[in-house]
């Protein structure tokens, strides 16, 4: 008699055999970029959950809080002048996020994670438009696993935010 366990084992063996045949034909290699992209997404989420924003992140959160508490345009301008050596626009966008979703470290971490994902998405879109889908997948799988962007994104650094505009500018220039 054949038990249910035997059927499941046979099905698993057939699946592995089919997978091995695909690998021998080189068909499996096309899925590597997807694996790396999913890995990058998971690592970015884990990094956002496990890492509390330190110097850069807390600074931008502090300035965003100042913008949030400003009552007049003059106060906002005064705050911007005080911190003019830093990316004030980043803090301003973060203050809009706080106005909508409330002020908290968790809210800021979610904002930093979304910016991190958006920079990867615009990178993929730009490279797909310029170089085709296969090249875009390969380049995005490398981009999303870059440690400085992954860890820096969870720290609240401005790098991912700036990359959105730099990539969009280069994309527009290439397309023009």
């Amino acid at each position: 008699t054949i038990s249910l366990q035997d059927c499941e084992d046979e099905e698993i063996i057939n699946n592995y055999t089919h997978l091995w045949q695909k690998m021998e034909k080189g068909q499996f290699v096309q899925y590597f970029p997807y694996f790396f992209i999913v890995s990058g997404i998971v690592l970015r989420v884990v990094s956002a959950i496990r890492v509390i924003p330190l110097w850069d992140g807390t600074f931008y959160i502090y300035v965003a809080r100042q913008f949030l508490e400003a009552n007049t345009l003059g106060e906002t301008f005064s705050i911007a002048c005080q911190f003019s050596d830093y990316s004030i626009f980043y803090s301003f966008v973060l203050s809009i996020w706080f106005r909508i979703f409330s002020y908290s470290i968790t809210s800021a971490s979610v904002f930093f994670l979304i910016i991190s994902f958006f920079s990867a998405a615009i990178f993929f879109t730009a490279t797909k438009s310029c170089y085709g889908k296969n090249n875009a997948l390969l380049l995005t799988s490398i981009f999303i696993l870059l440690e400085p962007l992954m860890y820096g994104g969870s720290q609240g650094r401005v790098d991912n935010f700036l990359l959105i505009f730099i990539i969009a500018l280069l994309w527009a220039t290439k397309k023009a």
Side-chain angles (χ1 to χ4, degrees):
T1 63
I2 298 175
S3 70
L4 180 61
Q5 181 65 32
D6 292 336
C7 291
E8 288 176 0
D9 289 343
E10 186 176 327
E11 185 178 329
I12 290 170
I13 290 169
N14 286 338
N15 286 340
Y16 280 121
T17 305
H18 181 67
L19 183 63
W20 186 257
Q21 289 169 349
K22 278 188 160 189
M23 285 174 51
E24 286 177 347
K25 294 178 185 175
Q27 295 172 346
F28 190 69
V29 175
Q30 69 187 6
Y31 297 108
F32 280 156
Y34 294 106
F35 170 74
F36 291 127
I37 289 171
V38 169
S39 299
I41 289 170
V42 169
L43 288 172
R44 284 176 185 236
V45 169
V46 168
S47 180
I49 292 170
R50 306 249 331 150
V51 175
I52 297 171
L54 295 175
W55 166 242
D56 286 0
T58 53
F59 172 77
Y60 291 118
I61 291 169
Y62 170 77
V63 176
R65 180 70 181 209
Q66 297 300 313
F67 281 140
L68 199 59
E69 293 173 352
N71 294 324
T72 64
L73 185 59
E75 287 180 26
T76 304
F77 183 72
S78 172
I79 293 166
C81 288
Q82 282 179 322
F83 302 108
S84 62
D85 293 343
Y86 300 93
S87 178
I88 298 304
F89 184 65
Y90 187 50
S91 294
F92 185 72
V93 172
L94 183 57
S95 72
I96 293 170
W97 175 268
F98 285 154
R99 179 137 343 246
I100 296 169
F101 295 104
S102 81
Y103 171 78
S104 71
I105 296 297
T106 305
S107 178
S109 293
V110 169
F111 174 79
F112 299 146
L113 184 63
I114 289 171
I115 291 295
S116 176
F117 285 152
F118 190 65
S119 70
I122 198 165
F123 181 84
F124 172 76
T125 305
T127 53
K128 180 182 173 190
S129 170
C130 296
Y131 304 110
K133 183 179 179 184
N134 290 337
N135 290 333
L137 284 171
L138 180 63
L139 293 171
T140 303
S141 68
I142 295 168
F143 178 86
I144 202 161
L145 287 173
L146 289 174
E147 189 271 335
L149 296 178
M150 188 182 317
Y151 184 71
S154 62
Q155 286 291 311
R157 294 184 56 197
V158 75
D159 305 4
N160 283 307
F161 190 70
L162 288 176
L163 274 174
I164 291 169
F165 296 102
I166 291 169
I167 293 167
L169 178 69
L170 291 173
W171 181 21
T173 304
K174 173 119 173 102
K175 285 301 192 179

